[in-house]
Amino acid sequence: MVDRVLATITIGGNVTEARFDQLVILIANEGLSLDWDSEPFATDQRIEGEPLPLCAYEVPWGMFEALEQYCCDNHIAYRRWSGACSVSFGAEGIVYDGQTGPLNYDVNDDDIVMMAVETIEQLGSIRAILAYLKPAAFEIPPLVVVD
């Protein structure tokens, strides 16, 4: 049996109309919507000048594998949060800026990055810790469909 959890993904950046159409297909395949108890996402729900925030219940392993891979392959920025599964894995945050990553962070249920003492000791300084955390604060840009 597959572990399933709550998950969100926010997508942004410049995409062609063809890539947006493919994103919509992948979004539909994942059963994503704009709000927890709303209808599945439809293209007319996209707000110009805003990133596209999506969510779903019961997401296998908390990952949107095909959608995330498509974003990486096409340099489309995204941020994913997935909740913890009590006996299998903790909550995680994934950040991809369209160029670097995706980077994985341990987070809590409020999507706040958490660091183990061992990680802090390994990094060794406040400067190194801040450098490690900086990519986690990346703001997803608006999702813009271009010609």
Side-chain angles (χ1 to χ4, degrees):
M1 188 164 139
V2 174
D3 292 321
R4 296 174 181 272
V5 296
L6 301 172
T8 65
I9 188 167
T10 302
I11 302 169
N14 294 336
V15 297
T16 64
E17 194 166 322
R19 286 194 175 142
F20 179 70
D21 291 343
Q22 184 61 39
L23 276 174
V24 171
I25 291 168
L26 292 165
I27 289 166
N29 289 343
E30 297 286 359
L32 295 167
S33 58
L34 290 178
D35 204 355
W36 291 106
D37 292 313
S38 66
E39 296 297 314
F41 175 74
T43 57
D44 64 341
Q45 294 175 318
R46 184 174 66 87
I47 299 172
E48 288 286 332
E50 296 289 330
L52 182 60
L54 301 159
C55 58
Y57 294 106
E58 302 291 321
V59 178
W61 299 289
M63 298 181 288
F64 307 109
E65 288 188 62
L67 178 57
E68 291 178 59
Q69 187 63 57
Y70 184 80
C71 288
C72 289
D73 291 346
N74 293 282
H75 307 286
I76 301 167
Y78 73 91
R79 172 185 304 279
R80 174 176 50 86
W81 169 86
S82 55
C85 184
S86 62
V87 296
S88 298
F89 52 85
E92 76 174 349
I94 302 293
V95 179
Y96 178 62
D97 66 6
Q99 303 297 319
T100 304
L103 303 173
N104 182 315
Y105 293 92
D106 291 331
V107 297
N108 66 12
D109 286 338
D110 294 321
D111 198 16
I112 296 171
V113 175
M114 308 299 285
M115 293 181 71
V117 170
E118 295 81 9
T119 303
I120 294 169
E121 289 172 345
Q122 183 179 24
L123 291 169
S125 71
I126 293 296
R127 181 173 288 174
I129 292 168
L130 293 174
Y132 173 84
L133 293 173
K134 185 174 181 177
F138 175 74
E139 290 290 325
I140 302 299
L143 180 63
V144 178
V145 179
V146 295
D147 291 332

